[in-house]
Amino acid sequence: MSAWQNTPAGFLLYLRKDRCLLETVRERIVHLQRCRGISRRFIYRLLQQDPSLKEIYNYTPAEITRQFLLPHKNASLFYSDLHNLALRQRILDDLKKFKIITIVDESYSPVLNTIKDAPLVLYALGDTSLLSFSPALSVIGTRKPSPDAVQKMELIVKPLLKENCLIVSGMAKGIDSLAHKIALAEGGKTIAVLGSGFHHIYPKQNISLFHQIARKGLVLTEYPPDTPPVRYHFPERNRIISGLSYGTLVIEATERSGTLITVEQALDQGREVYAVPGSPAHPQTKGCHRMIQDGAKLVHEAADIKEDWQ
């Protein structure tokens, strides 16, 4: 369950009936998510103690340190950003420019709301109704696919798209990009989850793909628009990719692939994990073979996944 669901009973329902209070709490969540010196876990604690998020704005740095056991340096940074008018103005500007979905909004994905460490804020471009679409399958894999990868995806992913399955991936090089491109080419539905803000698309070679998905599908990120890509963002965003889906399909992965992080997230979230076998001569198949040995479902055709939908 997400942290919000542990807050005082009935407050969320009450909040959604009071539009004025809802907008205030939404702005505060977006604001807190951008403050330095604190983590998502800290914001979850604030929501549990004060769902209106009003009281924290009245605290001094010393009170923040004492009340939340936050180091003084962190408390000072946090206090500074809490009362930074320029930061508040940037947030108000972004609220006008982008679709911003918070954990208190009705449009927040119901399946994503059940995972550990659910994102508090999602910036969106495109069709946000896809957040509630089912079935959704995450399709992931190596950034350096083998020559067989396209054939594997056409054999397995295309039939799933014809069955109106939504494809979720991370718009990275390799398998991720192929998954989105196949979905778009087939007129299917797709969601891309980024590891950076909308002003810093990565990799740059996918800027055109980014715009196509924003027009025909949905692009999501939990990072504010001006946030550049950094290494730890990508494993962090993987929990969103797996969290949006009922299952995760691994097309190809090396033994030490970053793809395995998403698989671990999916298993931790109670999602299904599927893996496609391949030639043992290709290093890109070794990770999939290991997953199958460890209990992932072997997939050699779309029907192997579709039978789990029923």
Side-chain angles (χ1 to χ4, degrees):
M1 303 290 279
S2 74
W4 177 261
Q5 291 165 302
N6 294 326
T7 54
F11 187 83
L12 183 53
L13 290 174
Y14 171 75
L15 186 65
R16 287 176 178 168
K17 292 177 182 177
D18 187 333
R19 302 302 301 178
C20 187
L21 179 58
L22 175 62
E23 286 304 310
T24 300
V25 172
R26 290 183 75 253
E27 286 183 24
R28 288 171 181 164
I29 291 175
V30 176
H31 183 199
L32 290 169
Q33 191 238 7
R34 295 203 193 184
C35 289
R36 297 168 296 169
I38 60 171
S39 63
R40 281 190 301 275
R41 183 175 296 180
F42 181 91
I43 301 172
Y44 292 157
R45 286 180 61 196
L46 290 180
L47 279 168
Q48 290 168 344
Q49 294 182 23
D50 175 22
S52 71
L53 297 174
K54 178 182 178 181
E55 296 303 320
I56 191 64
Y57 289 88
N58 299 322
Y59 285 17
T60 66
E63 288 171 334
I64 293 171
T65 295
R66 185 167 58 252
Q67 179 75 15
F68 298 99
L69 303 179
L70 199 66
H72 179 70
K73 181 180 178 181
N74 293 55
S76 296
L77 278 173
F78 179 41
Y79 179 86
S80 174
D81 286 348
L82 273 180
H83 301 281
N84 185 328
L85 295 180
L87 175 59
R88 296 293 294 273
Q89 186 57 53
R90 285 200 301 274
I91 291 168
L92 291 174
D93 291 343
D94 286 342
L95 284 165
K96 295 174 184 175
K97 292 178 184 176
F98 302 100
K99 296 176 184 177
I100 301 180
I101 302 164
T102 74
I103 201 165
V104 301
D105 293 320
E106 288 188 72
S107 56
Y108 192 92
S109 167
V111 293
L112 194 58
N113 201 23
T114 65
I115 71 169
K116 295 178 183 176
D117 195 19
L120 289 157
V121 179
L122 290 169
Y123 297 83
L125 288 173
D127 182 3
T128 55
S129 71
L130 295 180
L131 287 170
S132 299
F133 190 88
S134 181
L137 179 74
S138 56
V139 178
I140 59 172
T142 178
R143 286 170 170 76
K144 296 180 180 179
S146 76
D148 297 334
V150 173
Q151 185 178 11
K152 291 177 184 177
M153 296 184 76
E154 289 184 347
L155 182 66
I156 297 168
V157 177
K158 273 190 178 181
L160 295 175
L161 287 163
K162 287 182 169 63
E163 295 287 337
N164 208 26
C165 179
L166 181 149
I167 301 301
V168 183
S169 199
M171 213 182 77
K173 295 178 183 178
I175 298 297
D176 288 26
S177 296
L178 284 171
H180 294 306
K181 288 175 181 177
I182 289 174
L184 292 170
E186 294 297 311
K189 299 174 178 65
T190 189
I191 297 176
V193 185
L194 308 186
S196 60
F198 291 143
H199 295 162
H200 296 273
I201 300 306
Y202 180 86
K204 290 185 178 179
Q205 68 189 52
N206 278 349
I207 290 177
S208 175
L209 178 60
F210 161 75
H211 288 299
Q212 290 180 60
I213 299 171
R215 286 197 307 271
K216 299 179 180 180
L218 177 64
V219 185
L220 292 176
T221 179
E222 65 179 323
Y223 304 107
D226 290 329
T227 307
V230 294
R231 186 179 295 272
Y232 73 86
H233 284 174
F234 296 94
E236 188 176 50
R237 64 88 194 267
N238 290 347
R239 76 191 195 288
I240 302 175
I241 294 174
S242 56
L244 286 167
S245 316
Y246 81 89
T248 293
L249 170 65
V250 183
I251 301 295
E252 289 185 339
T254 59
E255 275 193 295
R256 297 187 178 182
S257 172
T259 300
L260 301 180
I261 297 173
T262 311
V263 170
E264 290 173 3
Q265 295 278 8
L267 291 171
D268 190 51
Q269 295 163 356
R271 307 305 200 242
E272 299 292 337
V273 174
Y274 306 95
V276 182
S279 168
H282 293 316
Q284 295 95 329
T285 66
K286 290 186 177 180
C288 287
H289 293 164
R290 176 66 65 188
M291 290 175 213
I292 293 167
Q293 288 176 330
D294 290 342
K297 183 172 181 177
L298 186 153
V299 172
H300 60 80
E301 61 182 1
D304 296 324
I305 297 176
K306 287 195 291 183
E307 67 183 14
D308 287 349
W309 294 359
Q310 284 81 41

